[in-house]
Amino acid sequence: MYRISELAKLAGLSRTALLYYEKQGLLRAQRQSNGYRLYSEQDRQRLYLLQQLQAGGLSLSECKACLDAKLNQGLLQARLQKLDHEIAQKQQARHLLASLLGHSTLRAWHQAIDQAAPDAHFSWLKQQGFTEKEALRLKWLSHDMNEHEQYMADFMAVYQGLNYWAPGSAEDTLRALALLTPPPATLLEIGCGKGIATTLLAEHSTASITAIDNEPTALEALQQQLQALGFTKRVTALCASMTELPFAKQSFDAIWSEGSAYIMGLVQALRYWKTFLKPGGYLVLSELVWLTDTPSPEARDFWQQGYPDMQNIASCIQRMQEAGYQLVDQFSLSDQAWQNYYQPLQERIDAMKPQLPNSRALLDTQQEINIYQQYGAEFAYQMFVLRC
């Protein structure tokens, strides 16, 4: 026989717990004349069995039912399904915590968060210590803060030697420029890169041009071109963020952006950049668009990861009109624009594969080229000329 304190110690429970079990009819103590409770060996073993059933996730009432009658299979099956669900949730939570600690990739997580809450995601990345420039690159390129540093090192190693960092051609740039009548006296180019469009705009206009980018090495290359062409007095190269422009409102007759509006999001770019245009000013930008409402699954899945906000032309025009712009004209960039970008890029990848065989940046870039080669008829870079 066991006193309540002895049984509690054997079971690893408190005296209060045993009294509660007794109140629920799970145990039945023998009361002595002095009021003490005594429990038999059978009570001890029943308590042990009760604890084992509790370890299976059963409630006390469910344990009592299993102790006093034949097992209820439906009850056990329902409890098992609930436990499986809880385990799956715990495994998901563990995977996320491990990924945040750098034990595995966060690419899918970042993409999902950015699609559902882009502004909160961007702010959170900056709170983690990333600069705005790094956060934007993480958002659209590496997609994983754990591998971001290496990814960007590889990415810049590939792109550093290239002139075009997006599809473009002199013919397309000049075609759009000819639509700006009267010609602008002041022009801001956003995301100028190494300045291919910048020098064309300077050669074929009389505008005072401010060209911005957040990549210092690209601006250095542009500055060298400006000096060689004698444009340093009329063209200013400036390291600045497209999301925090250091200019007064209504400063420019035109804003030019080839292949970079997606970085901050088309809708946000349309609204924010408009504040820097004079009344009647022009916005010229190129945007990746769908040419079909039923893209191939491979192309759809790739761009859903790379640019989830990608729209068709009609949807883009609607967004532009809702932001307060009038459409002057729009056209798809030429095949030459794509070749100017992808041909040197492919050569660069081929040259770097031996030294970076497992680079995620190289694999992603190669996949983009492959998607274009197979499904290029389903999407385009569209040049839009807008006026506010």
Side-chain angles (χ1 to χ4, degrees):
M1 302 297 288
Y2 302 93
R3 291 182 179 179
I4 188 170
S5 57
E6 294 173 331
L7 183 59
K9 184 176 181 179
L10 287 172
L13 297 170
S14 67
R15 181 177 181 277
T16 302
L18 293 185
L19 291 174
Y20 181 75
Y21 288 176
E22 187 173 332
K23 184 178 180 180
Q24 299 300 315
L26 292 163
L27 293 174
R28 295 180 180 85
Q30 299 178 27
R31 298 296 293 269
Q32 304 300 301
S33 58
N34 59 5
Y36 288 166
R37 287 175 168 83
L38 290 179
Y39 298 91
S40 66
E41 174 62 18
Q42 184 177 356
D43 292 325
R44 185 195 69 79
Q45 293 186 21
R46 178 182 172 87
L47 179 59
Y48 178 80
L49 181 54
L50 168 64
Q51 290 178 298
Q52 297 308 304
L53 291 172
Q54 279 186 294
L58 298 178
S59 67
L60 286 178
S61 61
E62 291 168 343
C63 288
K64 186 175 186 301
C66 291
L67 288 170
D68 296 342
K70 187 176 180 180
L71 288 174
N72 184 328
Q73 296 295 320
L75 170 66
L76 297 180
Q77 184 63 39
R79 180 58 67 180
L80 179 61
Q81 290 177 350
K82 181 179 179 181
L83 185 60
D84 285 341
H85 178 68
E86 291 172 352
I87 290 173
Q89 288 183 315
K90 295 294 185 183
Q91 288 176 334
Q92 185 176 4
R94 187 194 183 284
H95 176 72
L96 174 58
L97 292 176
S99 297
L100 288 170
L101 288 169
H103 299 168
S104 59
T105 182
L106 274 170
R107 289 171 69 88
W109 184 80
H110 278 292
Q111 289 166 352
I113 296 297
D114 192 70
Q115 191 167 1
D119 293 339
H121 180 233
F122 183 63
S123 297
W124 182 77
L125 288 174
K126 291 196 289 184
Q127 287 178 344
Q128 305 315 304
F130 292 99
T131 65
E132 181 183 63
K133 173 180 173 182
E134 291 168 338
L136 286 170
R137 285 177 165 179
L138 193 157
K139 176 184 171 81
W140 292 113
L141 293 172
S142 59
H143 303 295
D144 189 342
M145 63 186 188
N146 293 330
E147 63 178 31
H148 179 70
E149 185 175 349
Q150 184 60 55
Y151 189 101
M152 289 312 306
D154 294 349
F155 179 85
M156 292 308 300
V158 173
Y159 278 80
Q160 202 66 263
L162 303 179
N163 290 322
Y164 283 95
W165 287 11
S169 73
E171 292 76 15
D172 292 320
T173 297
L174 295 179
R175 178 180 174 182
L177 180 62
L179 295 169
L180 275 58
T181 54
T186 55
L187 185 148
L188 170 65
E189 185 186 7
I190 298 176
C192 63
K194 292 186 174 181
I196 293 180
T198 315
T199 54
L200 281 170
L201 295 171
E203 289 173 350
H204 295 271
S205 78
T206 58
S208 175
I209 299 173
T210 302
I212 72 163
D213 202 285
N214 62 6
E215 178 51 51
T217 58
L219 291 173
E220 290 175 7
L222 170 57
Q223 193 64 43
Q224 292 175 3
Q225 290 189 64
L226 295 176
Q227 291 176 350
L229 296 172
F231 288 139
T232 54
K233 292 184 179 180
R234 192 157 54 88
V235 181
T236 301
L238 182 65
C239 188
S241 167
M242 66 176 66
T243 66
E244 295 182 1
L245 296 174
F247 309 112
K249 306 300 182 183
Q250 300 185 1
S251 294
F252 301 97
D253 297 310
I255 292 178
W256 199 281
S257 177
E258 294 191 30
S260 62
Y262 79 95
I263 294 175
M264 62 183 298
L266 176 61
V267 172
Q268 186 176 354
L270 289 169
R271 293 174 179 171
Y272 178 58
W273 295 349
K274 185 183 178 187
T275 63
F276 297 92
L277 284 171
K278 297 177 182 179
Y282 288 96
L283 172 60
V284 181
L285 59 85
S286 60
E287 173 77 356
L288 190 64
V289 299
W290 289 114
L291 297 178
T292 174
D293 293 330
T294 56
S296 303
E298 294 84 355
R300 181 196 62 223
D301 292 346
F302 175 80
W303 288 117
Q304 183 63 31
Q305 294 182 30
Y307 187 23
D309 196 37
M310 185 173 168
Q311 305 288 318
N312 59 29
I313 296 174
S315 179
C316 287
I317 293 175
Q318 180 179 349
R319 292 181 173 193
M320 293 165 181
Q321 292 172 339
E322 289 173 350
Y325 294 90
Q326 296 177 347
L327 178 66
V328 176
D329 203 354
Q330 50 93 13
F331 57 89
S332 295
L333 297 192
S334 62
D335 290 339
Q336 186 60 50
W338 290 91
Q339 294 305 317
N340 289 343
Y341 175 47
Y342 279 140
Q343 184 174 343
L345 183 58
Q346 183 66 72
E347 293 173 356
R348 186 67 175 157
I349 291 173
D350 292 341
M352 296 188 66
K353 276 181 181 177
Q355 63 194 73
L356 296 172
N358 300 313
S359 167
R360 170 67 72 173
L362 262 67
L363 293 173
D364 286 350
T365 306
Q366 183 65 68
Q367 186 182 11
E368 180 183 334
I369 295 175
N370 295 343
I371 289 293
Y372 171 74
Q373 291 174 341
Q374 296 178 59
Y375 308 107
E378 299 181 1
F379 54 89
Y381 252 105
Q382 201 75 1
M383 188 76 84
F384 294 94
V385 179
L386 311 172
R387 195 168 191 178
C388 62

